[in-house]
Amino acid sequence: MLITYRILTILLWPWIFVFSLLIPGAKNFLRNRKEDKRRILSYPFAPKAQKVVWLHAASVGELDQCKALALVYKKKEPETFILQSVFSDSVRDSSLEAFPADLKFRLPLDFPWSYDFILDKFSPEVLVCMAWDRWPNLLIAAKRRRVQTVLASAVITPPKGFIKKKFYKAAFFLFDKILTSHPSGEEKFKELLGEKKFIKTLGDSRFDSVIQKIETSQREFRKPKNYSFSQVFLLASTYEPCEKLLLPLLQEPSLKNTAFWIFPHKTDPSRIIRLESEIRSFTSDYTLYSRSEFDSISSRVILFDVLGILAHAYRAADFAYVGGALHNRVHNVLEPAYFGLPLLSGPRITHAPEAMELNHRGGLFIIHTKEEVLEILQLSSERKEAIRFSNRQFVETGRGAAERIYLELKNPFL
């Protein structure tokens, strides 16, 4: 299976080059990686002068997992040189620049020859991928140089079909160690790879990133002064399917004392203009966050059109809907769970063990209709308090995962 994959990637290269000439997005994708390669090759580094660890994240969520681990390294081994790569262009340049690593870059496309210049120059001791990310040619190149390969905070959706199962098994078997985020993931990996494979549950380092971000913040977020609504329903990371389901609730008489705080997934001007129009079709009682002093806002609906506030705004909410799972996959549920909020989500949560566990515990509700939402928003105070305790406790159980992963990485090859 791996030989077939390697052959296919080689045959794919000419077509990718052609696409890059025709499609602007593909051209930018390759140009960014070409610039990163030039920067890496010119970076002043003395081979084997210090220990090197390579962390890799697929996207924004996995970068949070890497951040927690990188901070442990910076505390325990400040002399260790940390490489941090990402793949998705959804990771903002500013986020990458602010990451606590010595050298940050975008991962090359997974061809057999793509990583030689990195591995030869830096000779990392360990390569750590996060969650589910596995690039066979990267892992093969690392193993040939006796680099320890680890999948940390690991999760897996069991593959369906003979070919997909064979590929998953071949690709994941390239890791020396698989450190799962939850016991259920450990069972799934063992079912796929066998009992002899090194698979161990150490937790999800994203818990540490979430806890650290909230607890070290100096920002206090409260409801506006003299706010007249008895409860706040916060809608996080919303997409159009989310708003289509939830905005009609603005006309429900039983929710007249419930405020709606909306944080759309994207905040570009065209998206905000469209969303304002949608809100106006249900109510005129709304305010755009950037246009007013927050403490003086009295509107029932507040549309937040700036970044960096969501994780703190949960503190002032009573319920939280976390978007993405009506049409694709759920976003970060750990931040609102930290504050003990009852959570609502669409049904597509199987990729997120933390969301599934919160659902199992009764603190996250899967919703399909506005009637289901109405029922949840009218939970008794006793039930809300029980959920608050349970969700908060769940986040606490994940504290320290990054350090547990760090200690495991210090162990030599099995």
Side-chain angles (χ1 to χ4, degrees), residues 344 365-377:
L344 298 83
F365 300 88
I366 301 300
I367 52 104
H368 304 84
T369 67
K370 69 175 185 178
E371 287 75 22
E372 291 172 331
V373 180
L374 277 171
E375 183 177 348
I376 296 162
L377 294 181

Side-chain angles (χ1 to χ4, degrees), residues 354-390:
E354 65 276 11
M356 295 179 68
E357 180 62 22
L358 286 165
N359 176 246
H360 177 72
R361 289 168 172 246
L364 182 148
F365 300 88
I366 301 300
I367 52 104
H368 304 84
T369 67
K370 69 175 185 178
E371 287 75 22
E372 291 172 331
V373 180
L374 277 171
E375 183 177 348
I376 296 162
L377 294 181
Q378 294 168 357
L379 290 176
S380 67
S381 57
E382 293 79 11
R383 181 74 186 282
K384 286 189 289 186
E385 187 58 34
I387 290 173
R388 183 174 296 276
F389 176 80
S390 177

Side-chain angles (χ1 to χ4, degrees), residues 236-309:
S237 300
T238 63
Y239 295 80
E240 290 184 15
C242 310
E243 293 139 15
K244 183 177 180 180
L245 172 64
L246 298 172
L247 289 183
L249 291 168
L250 290 168
Q251 296 181 327
E252 288 291 333
S254 63
L255 297 181
K256 63 181 181 180
N257 289 320
T258 297
F260 286 66
W261 292 4
I262 304 173
F263 289 78
H265 175 60
K266 292 186 178 181
T267 57
D268 56 275
S270 61
R271 168 79 166 115
I272 294 299
I273 290 171
R274 290 196 304 272
L275 186 48
E276 282 188 282
S277 178
E278 285 292 317
I279 294 170
R280 279 197 299 268
S281 68
F282 294 102
T283 181
S284 59
D285 186 16
Y286 88 95
T287 296
L288 192 65
Y289 176 84
S290 63
R291 291 181 188 156
S292 303
E293 181 68 30
F294 182 71
D295 203 41
S296 65
I297 294 177
S298 60
S299 300
R300 182 185 177 204
V301 178
I302 304 177
L303 175 57
F304 290 80
D305 57 339
V306 297
L307 300 174
I309 298 175

